[in-house]
Coordinates of all heavy atoms in Angstrom, one line a residue:
M5 N -4.5 6.6 -15.5 CA -4.3 6.5 -14.2 C -3.9 5.0 -13.8 O -4.4 4.1 -14.3 CB -5.7 6.8 -13.5 CG -5.7 6.6 -12.0 SD -5.3 7.9 -10.9 CE -6.2 9.4 -11.7
P6 N -2.8 4.8 -13.0 CA -2.3 3.5 -12.8 C -3.3 2.7 -11.8 O -4.0 3.4 -11.1 CB -0.9 3.7 -12.1 CG -1.0 5.1 -11.5 CD -2.0 5.8 -12.5
K7 N -3.2 1.5 -11.7 CA -4.0 0.6 -10.8 C -3.2 0.7 -9.5 O -2.1 0.3 -9.5 CB -4.1 -0.7 -11.3 CG -4.7 -1.7 -10.4 CD -4.8 -3.1 -11.0 CE -5.3 -4.1 -9.9 NZ -4.9 -5.5 -10.2
I8 N -3.8 1.0 -8.3 CA -3.3 1.1 -7.1 C -4.0 0.1 -6.1 O -5.2 0.1 -6.1 CB -3.3 2.5 -6.5 CG1 -2.5 3.4 -7.3 CG2 -2.7 2.5 -5.0 CD1 -2.6 4.9 -7.0
T9 N -3.3 -0.8 -5.4 CA -3.8 -1.7 -4.5 C -3.1 -1.5 -3.2 O -1.9 -1.5 -3.2 CB -3.7 -3.2 -5.0 OG1 -4.3 -3.3 -6.3 CG2 -4.4 -4.1 -4.1
I10 N -3.8 -1.4 -2.2 CA -3.3 -1.4 -0.9 C -3.7 -2.5 0.1 O -4.9 -2.7 0.3 CB -3.7 0.0 -0.1 CG1 -3.3 1.1 -0.9 CG2 -2.9 0.1 1.3 CD1 -3.9 2.5 -0.3
Y11 N -2.7 -3.3 0.6 CA -3.1 -4.4 1.5 C -3.0 -3.9 2.9 O -2.0 -3.3 3.2 CB -2.1 -5.6 1.2 CG -2.3 -6.2 -0.1 CD1 -1.6 -5.6 -1.3 CD2 -3.0 -7.4 -0.2 CE1 -1.9 -6.2 -2.5 CE2 -3.2 -7.9 -1.4 CZ -2.6 -7.5 -2.6 OH -2.9 -8.1 -3.8
T12 N -4.1 -4.0 3.6 CA -4.3 -3.4 4.9 C -4.8 -4.4 6.0 O -5.1 -5.6 5.6 CB -5.2 -2.3 4.8 OG1 -6.5 -2.7 4.5 CG2 -4.9 -1.3 3.7
T13 N -4.8 -3.8 7.2 CA -5.7 -4.5 8.3 C -6.5 -3.3 8.8 O -6.0 -2.1 8.7 CB -4.8 -5.1 9.4 OG1 -4.0 -4.0 10.0 CG2 -4.0 -6.1 8.8
T14 N -7.5 -3.6 9.6 CA -8.4 -2.4 10.2 C -7.6 -1.7 11.3 O -8.0 -0.5 11.5 CB -9.6 -3.0 10.7 OG1 -9.4 -4.1 11.6 CG2 -10.6 -3.7 9.5
Y15 N -6.8 -2.3 12.0 CA -6.2 -1.5 13.2 C -4.8 -0.9 12.9 O -4.1 -0.3 13.8 CB -5.9 -2.7 14.3 CG -5.2 -3.9 13.8 CD1 -3.8 -3.8 13.8 CD2 -5.9 -5.0 13.5 CE1 -3.1 -5.0 13.3 CE2 -5.1 -6.1 13.0 CZ -3.7 -6.1 12.9 OH -3.1 -7.2 12.5
C16 N -4.5 -0.8 11.6 CA -3.2 -0.2 11.2 C -3.3 1.2 11.0 O -3.9 1.7 10.0 CB -2.6 -0.9 10.1 SG -1.2 -0.3 9.3
P17 N -2.5 2.1 11.9 CA -2.6 3.5 11.7 C -1.8 3.9 10.3 O -2.2 5.1 9.7 CB -1.9 4.1 12.7 CG -1.1 3.0 13.4 CD -1.8 1.8 13.0
Y18 N -0.9 3.2 10.0 CA -0.1 3.5 8.7 C -0.9 3.1 7.4 O -0.9 3.9 6.5 CB 1.3 2.8 8.6 CG 2.1 3.4 9.7 CD1 2.5 2.6 10.8 CD2 2.8 4.5 9.6 CE1 3.3 3.0 11.8 CE2 3.6 5.0 10.7 CZ 3.9 4.2 11.7 OH 4.7 4.7 12.7
C19 N -1.8 2.2 7.6 CA -2.8 1.9 6.4 C -3.7 3.1 6.3 O -4.0 3.5 5.1 CB -3.5 0.6 6.8 SG -2.5 -0.8 6.9
R20 N -4.2 3.6 7.4 CA -5.1 4.7 7.3 C -4.4 5.9 6.8 O -5.0 6.6 5.9 CB -5.7 5.0 8.8 CG -6.8 4.0 9.2 CD -7.5 4.5 10.5 NE -6.6 4.4 11.6 CZ -6.4 3.5 12.4 NH1 -6.8 2.3 12.1 NH2 -5.6 3.6 13.5
A21 N -3.2 6.1 7.2 CA -2.4 7.3 6.7 C -2.2 7.1 5.2 O -2.3 8.1 4.4 CB -1.1 7.5 7.4
A22 N -1.8 5.9 4.7 CA -1.6 5.8 3.2 C -2.9 6.0 2.4 O -2.9 6.6 1.4 CB -1.1 4.3 3.0
K23 N -4.0 5.6 2.9 CA -5.3 5.7 2.3 C -5.6 7.2 2.2 O -6.1 7.8 1.2 CB -6.4 4.8 2.9 CG -6.2 3.4 2.7 CD -7.4 2.6 3.2 CE -7.5 2.6 4.8 NZ -8.5 1.7 5.2
A24 N -5.3 7.9 3.4 CA -5.7 9.3 3.4 C -4.8 10.0 2.4 O -5.4 11.0 1.8 CB -5.4 9.9 4.8
L25 N -3.5 9.7 2.3 CA -2.6 10.4 1.3 C -3.3 10.3 -0.1 O -3.4 11.3 -0.8 CB -1.3 9.9 1.3 CG -0.2 10.6 0.6 CD1 1.1 10.4 1.3 CD2 -0.1 10.2 -0.8
F26 N -3.7 9.1 -0.4 CA -4.3 8.9 -1.8 C -5.6 9.6 -1.9 O -5.9 10.2 -3.1 CB -4.5 7.4 -2.2 CG -3.2 6.7 -2.5 CD1 -2.8 5.5 -1.8 CD2 -2.5 7.1 -3.6 CE1 -1.6 4.9 -2.1 CE2 -1.2 6.5 -3.9 CZ -0.8 5.4 -3.2
K27 N -6.4 9.6 -0.9 CA -7.7 10.4 -0.9 C -7.5 11.8 -1.1 O -8.2 12.4 -1.8 CB -8.5 10.1 0.3 CG -9.1 8.6 0.3 CD -9.8 8.3 1.5 CE -10.3 6.9 1.6 NZ -11.0 6.6 2.9
N28 N -6.5 12.3 -0.3 CA -6.2 13.8 -0.5 C -5.8 14.2 -1.9 O -6.0 15.3 -2.4 CB -5.1 14.2 0.6 CG -5.7 14.2 1.9 OD1 -6.9 14.4 2.2 ND2 -4.8 14.1 2.9
K29 N -5.2 13.3 -2.5 CA -4.7 13.4 -4.0 C -5.9 13.2 -4.9 O -5.6 13.2 -6.2 CB -3.5 12.6 -4.3 CG -2.2 13.0 -3.7 CD -1.1 12.2 -4.0 CE 0.2 12.9 -3.8 NZ 0.5 14.2 -4.4
K30 N -7.0 12.7 -4.4 CA -8.1 12.3 -5.2 C -7.8 11.2 -6.2 O -8.2 11.2 -7.4 CB -8.7 13.5 -6.0 CG -9.2 14.6 -5.0 CD -9.8 15.7 -5.7 CE -10.3 16.9 -4.8 NZ -10.3 16.8 -3.4
V31 N -7.1 10.3 -5.8 CA -6.6 9.0 -6.4 C -7.4 7.9 -6.0 O -7.4 7.6 -4.8 CB -5.0 8.8 -6.3 CG1 -4.5 7.6 -7.0 CG2 -4.2 10.0 -6.8
K32 N -7.9 7.2 -7.0 CA -8.7 5.9 -6.6 C -7.7 4.8 -6.3 O -6.7 4.6 -7.0 CB -9.7 5.6 -7.7 CG -10.7 6.5 -7.9 CD -11.8 6.1 -8.9 CE -12.8 7.2 -9.1 NZ -13.8 6.8 -10.1
F33 N -8.1 3.8 -5.4 CA -7.4 2.6 -5.1 C -8.2 1.7 -4.7 O -9.3 1.8 -4.3 CB -6.3 3.0 -3.9 CG -6.9 3.6 -2.7 CD1 -7.2 2.6 -1.7 CD2 -7.1 4.9 -2.5 CE1 -7.9 3.1 -0.6 CE2 -7.6 5.3 -1.3 CZ -8.0 4.4 -0.4
G34 N -7.7 0.4 -4.8 CA -8.3 -0.7 -4.2 C -7.7 -1.2 -2.9 O -6.5 -0.8 -2.7
E35 N -8.5 -1.7 -2.0 CA -8.1 -2.1 -0.7 C -8.3 -3.6 -0.4 O -9.5 -4.0 -0.7 CB -8.7 -1.3 0.3 CG -8.3 -1.7 1.8 CD -8.8 -0.9 2.8 OE1 -9.7 0.1 2.6 OE2 -8.6 -1.0 4.0
I36 N -7.4 -4.3 0.0 CA -7.5 -5.7 0.4 C -7.2 -5.9 1.8 O -5.9 -5.6 2.1 CB -6.7 -6.7 -0.6 CG1 -7.2 -6.5 -2.0 CG2 -6.8 -8.1 -0.1 CD1 -6.4 -7.2 -3.0
N37 N -8.1 -6.2 2.6 CA -7.8 -6.4 4.1 C -7.3 -7.8 4.2 O -8.0 -8.8 3.9 CB -9.1 -6.2 4.8 CG -9.0 -6.2 6.3 OD1 -8.1 -7.0 6.8 ND2 -9.7 -5.4 7.0
V38 N -6.1 -7.9 4.8 CA -5.4 -9.2 5.0 C -5.5 -9.7 6.3 O -5.0 -10.7 6.7 CB -4.1 -9.2 4.4 CG1 -3.9 -9.0 3.0 CG2 -3.2 -8.2 5.2
E39 N -6.4 -9.0 7.2 CA -6.4 -9.4 8.6 C -7.1 -10.7 8.7 O -8.2 -11.1 8.3 CB -7.5 -8.4 9.2 CG -7.4 -8.4 10.8 CD -8.3 -7.2 11.2 OE1 -8.0 -6.2 10.7 OE2 -9.0 -7.3 12.2
G40 N -6.4 -11.7 9.4 CA -6.9 -13.0 9.5 C -6.8 -13.8 8.3 O -7.3 -15.1 8.3
D41 N -6.2 -13.5 7.2 CA -6.1 -14.2 5.9 C -4.6 -14.6 5.8 O -3.8 -13.9 5.2 CB -6.5 -13.3 4.8 CG -6.6 -14.2 3.5 OD1 -5.9 -15.2 3.4 OD2 -7.3 -13.8 2.6
E42 N -4.2 -15.7 6.3 CA -2.9 -16.1 6.4 C -2.3 -16.5 5.0 O -1.1 -16.3 4.7 CB -2.7 -17.3 7.3 CG -2.7 -17.0 8.8 CD -1.7 -15.9 9.1 OE1 -0.6 -15.9 8.8 OE2 -2.2 -14.9 9.8
E43 N -3.1 -16.9 4.1 CA -2.6 -17.2 2.7 C -2.3 -15.9 2.1 O -1.2 -15.8 1.4 CB -3.8 -17.8 1.9 CG -3.9 -19.2 2.3 CD -2.6 -20.1 2.0 OE1 -2.0 -20.0 1.0 OE2 -2.3 -21.0 3.0
K44 N -3.1 -14.9 2.2 CA -2.7 -13.6 1.6 C -1.5 -12.9 2.3 O -0.6 -12.4 1.5 CB -3.9 -12.5 1.7 CG -4.7 -12.7 0.7 CD -4.6 -11.8 -0.5 CE -5.8 -11.6 -1.3 NZ -6.0 -12.5 -2.3
R45 N -1.4 -13.1 3.6 CA -0.2 -12.6 4.3 C 1.2 -13.3 3.9 O 2.0 -12.7 3.7 CB -0.3 -12.8 5.8 CG -1.5 -12.0 6.4 CD -1.2 -10.5 6.6 NE -0.3 -10.0 7.6 CZ -0.5 -9.2 8.4 NH1 -1.8 -8.8 8.7 NH2 0.3 -8.8 9.2
K46 N 1.0 -14.6 3.7 CA 2.2 -15.4 3.2 C 2.6 -14.9 1.8 O 3.7 -14.8 1.5 CB 1.7 -16.9 3.2 CG 2.8 -17.8 2.7 CD 2.4 -19.3 2.6 CE 3.6 -20.1 2.0 NZ 3.1 -21.4 2.0
W47 N 1.5 -14.7 0.9 CA 1.9 -14.2 -0.4 C 2.5 -12.8 -0.3 O 3.4 -12.7 -1.1 CB 0.5 -14.2 -1.1 CG 0.7 -13.7 -2.6 CD1 1.1 -14.3 -3.7 CD2 0.7 -12.2 -3.0 NE1 1.3 -13.4 -4.8 CE2 0.9 -12.1 -4.3 CE3 0.2 -11.0 -2.3 CZ2 0.8 -10.9 -5.1 CZ3 0.2 -9.9 -3.1 CH2 0.5 -9.9 -4.3
L48 N 2.1 -11.9 0.5 CA 2.7 -10.7 0.6 C 4.1 -10.8 1.1 O 5.0 -10.1 0.6 CB 1.9 -9.7 1.7 CG 0.7 -9.1 1.1 CD1 0.1 -8.3 2.3 CD2 1.2 -8.0 0.1
R49 N 4.4 -11.7 2.1 CA 5.8 -11.9 2.6 C 6.6 -12.3 1.4 O 7.8 -12.0 1.2 CB 5.8 -12.8 3.7 CG 5.3 -12.3 5.0 CD 5.6 -13.1 6.2 NE 5.0 -14.5 6.1 CZ 3.8 -14.8 6.5 NH1 3.0 -13.8 7.1 NH2 3.3 -15.9 6.4
E50 N 6.1 -13.4 0.7 CA 6.8 -13.9 -0.4 C 7.1 -12.9 -1.6 O 8.2 -12.8 -2.3 CB 6.3 -15.1 -1.0 CG 6.2 -16.3 0.0 CD 5.4 -17.5 -0.5 OE1 4.7 -17.3 -1.5 OE2 5.4 -18.5 0.2
T51 N 6.1 -12.1 -1.9 CA 6.1 -11.1 -2.9 C 7.0 -9.9 -2.6 O 7.8 -9.4 -3.5 CB 4.8 -10.8 -3.4 OG1 4.0 -11.9 -3.7 CG2 4.7 -9.8 -4.6
T52 N 6.8 -9.4 -1.3 CA 7.5 -8.1 -1.0 C 8.7 -8.3 -0.1 O 9.5 -7.3 0.1 CB 6.5 -7.2 -0.3 OG1 6.2 -7.7 1.0 CG2 5.2 -6.9 -1.2
G53 N 8.8 -9.4 0.6 CA 9.8 -9.6 1.6 C 9.5 -8.8 2.9 O 10.4 -8.8 3.7
Q54 N 8.3 -8.4 2.9 CA 7.9 -7.6 4.2 C 6.8 -8.3 4.9 O 6.0 -9.0 4.3 CB 7.4 -6.2 3.9 CG 8.5 -5.4 3.1 CD 9.7 -5.2 4.0 OE1 9.6 -4.9 5.1 NE2 10.9 -5.3 3.3
K55 N 6.7 -8.2 6.3 CA 5.6 -8.8 7.1 C 4.7 -7.7 7.5 O 3.5 -8.1 8.0 CB 6.3 -9.4 8.4 CG 7.2 -10.5 8.2 CD 7.8 -11.0 9.5 CE 8.7 -12.2 9.3 NZ 9.3 -12.7 10.5
T56 N 4.8 -6.5 7.2 CA 4.0 -5.5 7.7 C 3.1 -5.0 6.7 O 3.3 -5.2 5.5 CB 4.9 -4.2 8.2 OG1 5.7 -3.7 7.1 CG2 5.8 -4.6 9.4
V57 N 2.0 -4.2 7.2 CA 1.0 -3.6 6.3 C 1.2 -2.1 6.6 O 1.6 -1.7 7.8 CB -0.4 -4.1 6.5 CG1 -0.5 -5.5 5.9 CG2 -0.8 -4.0 7.8
P58 N 0.8 -1.2 5.7 CA 0.3 -1.6 4.5 C 1.5 -1.9 3.5 O 2.6 -1.7 3.7 CB -0.2 -0.1 4.0 CG 0.7 0.8 4.7 CD 1.0 0.2 5.9
Q59 N 1.0 -2.7 2.5 CA 1.9 -3.0 1.3 C 1.1 -2.3 0.1 O 0.0 -2.8 -0.1 CB 2.2 -4.4 1.2 CG 3.1 -4.9 2.3 CD 4.4 -4.4 2.2 OE1 5.1 -4.1 1.2 NE2 4.9 -3.9 3.3
I60 N 1.9 -1.5 -0.6 CA 1.2 -0.8 -1.7 C 1.7 -1.3 -3.0 O 3.1 -1.3 -3.2 CB 1.5 0.7 -1.5 CG1 0.9 1.2 0.0 CG2 0.9 1.5 -2.6 CD1 1.4 2.5 0.5
F61 N 0.9 -1.5 -3.9 CA 1.2 -2.0 -5.2 C 0.7 -0.8 -6.2 O -0.5 -0.6 -6.2 CB 0.6 -3.3 -5.7 CG 1.2 -4.4 -4.9 CD1 1.1 -4.7 -3.5 CD2 2.0 -5.4 -5.6 CE1 1.7 -5.6 -2.9 CE2 2.6 -6.4 -4.9 CZ 2.4 -6.6 -3.6
I62 N 1.5 -0.4 -7.2 CA 1.2 0.3 -8.3 C 1.3 -0.3 -9.6 O 2.5 -0.7 -9.8 CB 1.9 1.8 -8.2 CG1 1.6 2.5 -6.9 CG2 1.5 2.7 -9.4 CD1 2.2 3.8 -6.8
D63 N 0.3 -0.5 -10.3 CA 0.4 -1.3 -11.7 C 1.0 -2.7 -11.3 O 1.9 -3.2 -11.9 CB 1.0 -0.6 -12.7 CG 0.2 0.5 -13.3 OD1 -1.0 0.3 -13.2 OD2 0.9 1.5 -13.9
D64 N 0.5 -3.3 -10.2 CA 0.9 -4.7 -9.8 C 2.5 -4.8 -9.3 O 2.9 -5.8 -9.1 CB 0.6 -5.7 -10.9 CG -0.8 -5.8 -11.1 OD1 -1.6 -5.7 -10.1 OD2 -1.3 -6.0 -12.2
K65 N 3.2 -3.6 -9.1 CA 4.5 -3.6 -8.7 C 4.6 -3.1 -7.3 O 4.0 -2.1 -7.0 CB 5.4 -2.7 -9.7 CG 5.5 -3.3 -11.0 CD 6.3 -2.4 -11.9 CE 6.2 -2.8 -13.3 NZ 6.7 -1.7 -14.2
P66 N 5.1 -3.9 -6.4 CA 5.3 -3.5 -5.1 C 6.2 -2.2 -4.8 O 7.3 -2.1 -5.3 CB 5.8 -4.6 -4.2 CG 6.6 -5.4 -5.3 CD 5.9 -5.1 -6.5
I67 N 5.6 -1.1 -4.1 CA 6.5 0.0 -3.9 C 6.9 0.1 -2.4 O 7.8 0.9 -2.1 CB 5.8 1.4 -4.4 CG1 4.5 1.6 -3.5 CG2 5.4 1.3 -5.9 CD1 4.2 3.1 -3.4
G68 N 6.3 -0.8 -1.6 CA 6.6 -0.8 -0.2 C 5.4 -0.4 0.7 O 4.3 -0.5 0.2
G69 N 5.8 0.2 1.8 CA 4.7 0.5 2.7 C 4.5 2.1 2.7 O 4.9 2.7 2.0
Y70 N 4.0 2.5 3.9 CA 3.8 3.9 4.1 C 5.1 4.7 4.0 O 5.0 5.8 3.5 CB 3.1 4.2 5.5 CG 2.7 5.6 5.7 CD1 1.8 6.2 4.9 CD2 3.4 6.3 6.6 CE1 1.6 7.6 5.1 CE2 3.1 7.6 6.8 CZ 2.3 8.3 6.1 OH 2.0 9.5 6.2
Q71 N 6.1 4.3 4.5 CA 7.4 5.1 4.6 C 7.9 5.4 3.2 O 8.3 6.4 2.8 CB 8.4 4.5 5.4 CG 8.2 4.7 7.0 CD 9.3 4.1 7.8 OE1 9.9 3.1 7.5 NE2 9.6 4.8 8.8
E72 N 7.8 4.2 2.5 CA 8.2 4.4 1.1 C 7.2 5.3 0.2 O 7.8 6.1 -0.6 CB 8.4 3.0 0.4 CG 9.4 2.1 0.8 CD 9.1 1.5 2.2 OE1 8.0 1.6 2.7 OE2 10.0 0.9 2.9
L73 N 6.0 5.2 0.6 CA 5.0 6.2 -0.1 C 5.3 7.5 0.1 O 5.4 8.4 -0.8 CB 3.6 5.7 0.2 CG 2.4 6.5 -0.3 CD1 2.4 6.2 -1.8 CD2 1.2 6.1 0.4
V74 N 5.5 7.9 1.4 CA 5.9 9.2 1.8 C 7.1 9.7 1.3 O 7.3 10.8 0.9 CB 5.9 9.4 3.5 CG1 6.5 10.7 3.9 CG2 4.5 9.2 3.9
G75 N 8.1 8.8 1.2 CA 9.4 9.0 0.6 C 9.3 9.6 -0.9 O 9.8 10.6 -1.3
L76 N 8.4 8.8 -1.6 CA 8.1 9.2 -3.1 C 7.5 10.5 -3.1 O 7.7 11.3 -4.0 CB 7.2 8.0 -3.7 CG 7.9 6.8 -3.9 CD1 6.8 5.8 -4.5 CD2 8.9 6.9 -5.1
E77 N 6.5 10.7 -2.2 CA 5.8 12.0 -2.1 C 6.7 13.2 -1.9 O 6.8 14.3 -2.4 CB 4.7 12.0 -1.1 CG 4.0 13.3 -0.8 CD 3.2 13.7 -2.0 OE1 3.0 13.1 -3.1 OE2 2.5 14.9 -1.9
Q78 N 7.7 13.0 -0.9 CA 8.5 14.1 -0.5 C 9.6 14.5 -1.6 O 10.0 15.6 -1.8 CB 9.3 13.7 0.8 CG 8.4 13.7 2.0 CD 9.0 13.2 3.3 OE1 10.1 12.5 3.3 NE2 8.5 13.5 4.4
K79 N 9.9 13.5 -2.4 CA 10.8 13.7 -3.5 C 10.1 14.2 -4.7 O 10.8 14.5 -5.8 CB 11.6 12.4 -3.9 CG 12.5 11.8 -2.8 CD 13.0 10.5 -3.2 CE 13.8 9.7 -2.2 NZ 14.2 8.4 -2.4
G80 N 8.8 14.3 -4.7 CA 8.0 14.7 -5.8 C 7.9 13.6 -7.0 O 7.4 14.0 -8.1
E81 N 8.2 12.4 -6.6 CA 8.1 11.3 -7.6 C 6.7 10.6 -7.6 O 6.4 10.0 -8.6 CB 9.3 10.2 -7.2 CG 10.6 10.8 -7.4 CD 11.7 9.8 -7.1 OE1 11.4 8.6 -6.8 OE2 12.8 10.2 -7.0
L82 N 6.0 10.8 -6.6 CA 4.7 10.1 -6.5 C 3.7 10.6 -7.7 O 3.1 9.9 -8.3 CB 4.1 10.2 -5.1 CG 2.8 9.4 -5.0 CD1 2.9 7.9 -5.3 CD2 2.1 9.6 -3.6
D83 N 3.7 11.9 -7.8 CA 2.9 12.5 -8.8 C 3.3 12.0 -10.2 O 2.3 11.8 -11.1 CB 2.8 14.0 -8.7 CG 2.0 14.5 -7.5 OD1 1.2 13.7 -7.0 OD2 2.4 15.7 -7.1
K84 N 4.6 11.8 -10.4 CA 4.9 11.4 -11.7 C 4.4 9.9 -12.0 O 4.1 9.6 -13.1 CB 6.5 11.4 -11.8 CG 7.1 12.8 -11.7 CD 8.6 12.7 -11.7 CE 9.2 13.9 -11.4 NZ 10.7 14.0 -11.2
I85 N 4.4 9.1 -10.9 CA 4.0 7.8 -11.1 C 2.4 7.7 -11.3 O 1.9 7.0 -12.0 CB 4.3 6.9 -9.8 CG1 5.8 6.8 -9.7 CG2 3.6 5.5 -9.9 CD1 6.2 6.2 -8.4
L86 N 1.8 8.7 -10.6 CA 0.3 8.6 -10.7 C -0.1 9.4 -12.0 O -1.2 9.2 -12.4 CB -0.3 9.4 -9.4 CG 0.1 8.8 -8.1 CD1 -0.3 9.5 -7.0 CD2 -0.4 7.3 -8.0

C-alpha cells in the first residue's frame, strides 16, 4: 500500500471530498492541516506550483488536487496506483 498524504484545510469542500473518496476505497491516508501554517503553504506552492488545497501526495510524489484525483479514478488509474 502506498503512502498517501493529503494537505488540507478544515473549510475546504474538495478536501472533504478527496478524503471521502479514499475512505470509500478503504485506503488509509495521512492528513496535514495547513490552515494558518504559512511555512507549509509556502512549501506546497514551491513543491506543487499550486496555491490551493487539497494537495495529494502518493509515495511523496504530488499528484495534484481533487480534480486530478477524480481524473485518475475516472480513467481507472487510481486503483493501479493504490
